[in-house]
């Protein structure tokens, strides 16, 4: 069944009246829904999928009644966050968040590093990115909607006390991914390099703050290439 994220939904709601234009468009024009069709709704907070049946469907309103609930235990029980150097193209961000949602990332944070490319994101573009996140959550069966933060700068001192991991191709005093040991009771933060790598100053700061250093390969990888594999490894390794 088609799943819909509806953050206004409460567990006690035995019925729903949908008036949101986007949802109405999906029901009427995309899905061509009809009376008695069933759909799944979730609210992003309760780990439950709620199954509702259409009782009446009109051009400006769809009325549904709850049929039953299904427990949704697919979420990971720790925080896995991505801190990404802002890419140079919007479509890279779209690809990154669309794929990483599927491996249960809980937060996307894009910042400008020294070698980040210049990319200005308007409110409309950020709204589009949040829509991609929502649709990926609906498709993948998740019950939690990841947070998206895009800011100009970041203070690495703020990450003390978390399990912080920096991936690279330069340092020799590091571990391979398969040997990485993590504290799943803390935030696990993955720091991903920009197209031209982190600067020497940034690498020194990572080193001074005792970030865990992980070596992937001796080749130069695109920022969007390997991270789905890395995220899946971290989740499966718990």
């Amino acid at each position: 069944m088609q799943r819909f994220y509806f953050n206004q939904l409460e567990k006690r709601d035995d019925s729903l009246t949908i008036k949101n234009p986007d949802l109405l468009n999906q029901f009427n024009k995309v899905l061509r829904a009809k009376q008695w069709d069933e759909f799944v709704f979730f609210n992003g907070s309760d780990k439950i999928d709620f199954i509702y049946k259409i009782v009446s469907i009109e051009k400006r309103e769809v009325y549904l009644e709850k049929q039953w609930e299904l427990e949704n235990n697919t979420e990971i029980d720790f925080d896995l966050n991505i801190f990404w150097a802002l890419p140079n193209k919007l479509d890279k961000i779209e690809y990154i968040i669309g794929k990483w949602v599927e491996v249960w990332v809980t937060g996307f944070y894009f910042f400008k590093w020294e070698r980040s490319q210049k990319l200005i994101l308007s409110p409309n573009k950020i709204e589009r990115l949040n829509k991609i996140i929502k649709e990926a959550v609906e498709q993948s069966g998740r019950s939690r909607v990841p947070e998206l933060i895009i800011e100009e700068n970041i203070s690495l001192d703020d990450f003390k006390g978390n399990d912080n991991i920096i991936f690279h191709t330069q340092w020799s005093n590091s571990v391979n991914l398969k040997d990485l040991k993590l504290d799943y009771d803390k935030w696990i933060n993955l720091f991903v390099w920009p197209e031209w790598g982190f600067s020497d100053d940034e690498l020194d700061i990572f080193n001074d703050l005792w970030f865990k250093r992980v070596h992937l390969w001796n080749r130069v990888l695109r920022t969007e290439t390997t991270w789905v594999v890395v995220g899946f490894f971290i989740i499966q390794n718990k």
Side-chain angles (χ1 to χ4, degrees):
M1 285 183 284
Q2 181 75 35
R3 297 179 79 241
F4 292 101
Y5 170 57
F6 194 64
N7 62 355
Q8 302 171 32
L9 175 65
E10 296 187 13
K11 188 176 181 179
R12 65 176 181 269
D13 291 337
D14 292 326
S15 63
L16 282 178
T17 301
I18 303 297
K19 297 182 180 182
N20 179 280
D22 291 333
L23 283 177
L24 287 175
N25 182 69
Q26 287 234 52
F27 279 118
N28 290 312
K29 296 183 179 180
V30 178
L31 299 172
R32 299 186 182 279
K34 55 186 182 299
Q35 190 179 31
W36 314 130
D37 283 349
E38 293 180 341
F39 297 92
V40 179
F41 288 81
F42 65 101
N43 57 20
S45 54
D46 294 309
K47 294 182 178 180
I48 298 173
D49 281 349
F50 303 89
I51 290 77
Y52 283 81
K53 178 186 290 186
I54 293 178
V55 175
S56 65
I57 181 166
E58 306 292 340
K59 185 176 181 180
R60 292 186 175 86
E61 180 179 290
V62 176
Y63 178 75
L64 308 97
E65 291 183 351
K66 186 192 293 185
Q67 303 302 297
W68 67 88
E69 301 175 2
L70 292 174
E71 191 173 358
N72 186 333
N73 289 320
T74 59
E75 279 302 321
I76 60 176
D77 58 357
F78 61 96
D79 286 290
L80 176 62
N81 302 295
I82 301 296
F83 290 84
W84 213 295
L86 195 63
N88 60 348
K89 294 181 180 178
L90 179 63
D91 59 358
K92 284 189 178 181
I93 302 180
E94 293 175 354
Y95 179 85
I96 289 165
I97 61 178
K99 295 303 179 184
W100 272 85
V101 166
E102 298 177 20
V103 289
W104 270 235
V105 164
T106 52
F108 294 93
Y109 303 89
F110 291 89
F111 295 90
K112 283 192 67 177
W113 303 88
E114 285 189 28
R115 295 175 179 171
S116 294
Q117 302 296 313
K118 185 176 182 180
L119 180 64
I120 298 175
L121 296 175
S122 66
N124 286 340
K125 290 179 180 178
I126 294 175
E127 181 179 356
R128 171 175 168 76
L129 295 176
N130 277 304
K131 184 177 180 180
I132 292 173
I133 290 176
K134 179 183 74 71
E135 291 175 349
V137 169
E138 292 172 341
Q139 174 271 321
S140 62
R142 294 189 60 174
S143 60
R144 177 178 178 180
V145 179
E147 185 177 32
L148 172 67
I149 300 293
I150 300 175
E151 293 187 2
E152 186 74 14
N153 297 306
I154 184 174
S155 173
L156 294 176
D157 285 325
D158 294 336
F159 293 90
K160 293 178 180 178
N162 295 317
D163 213 344
N164 304 306
I165 307 163
I166 172 71
F167 293 88
H168 66 94
T169 59
Q170 297 181 26
W171 285 317
S172 57
N173 56 337
S174 60
V175 299
N176 292 319
L177 181 60
K178 64 182 179 66
D179 299 317
L180 180 62
K181 304 299 181 184
L182 295 169
D183 186 347
Y184 288 91
D185 292 327
K186 298 179 179 179
W187 273 30
I188 297 176
N189 301 319
L190 310 183
F191 289 79
V192 184
W193 59 70
E195 279 79 0
W196 299 105
F198 291 113
S199 70
D200 291 340
D201 288 340
E202 288 167 340
L203 293 176
D204 287 340
I205 295 173
F206 289 134
N207 190 47
D208 291 341
L209 293 175
W210 294 95
F211 277 36
K212 292 181 178 177
R213 302 182 293 276
V214 177
H215 185 265
L216 292 175
W217 294 280
N218 290 323
R219 65 189 68 176
V220 178
L221 302 172
R222 292 183 182 273
T223 58
E224 68 272 25
T225 301
T226 63
W227 307 108
V228 172
V229 177
V230 170
F232 188 77
F233 170 85
I234 289 173
I235 291 168
Q236 294 298 313
N237 200 43
K238 185 176 186 292

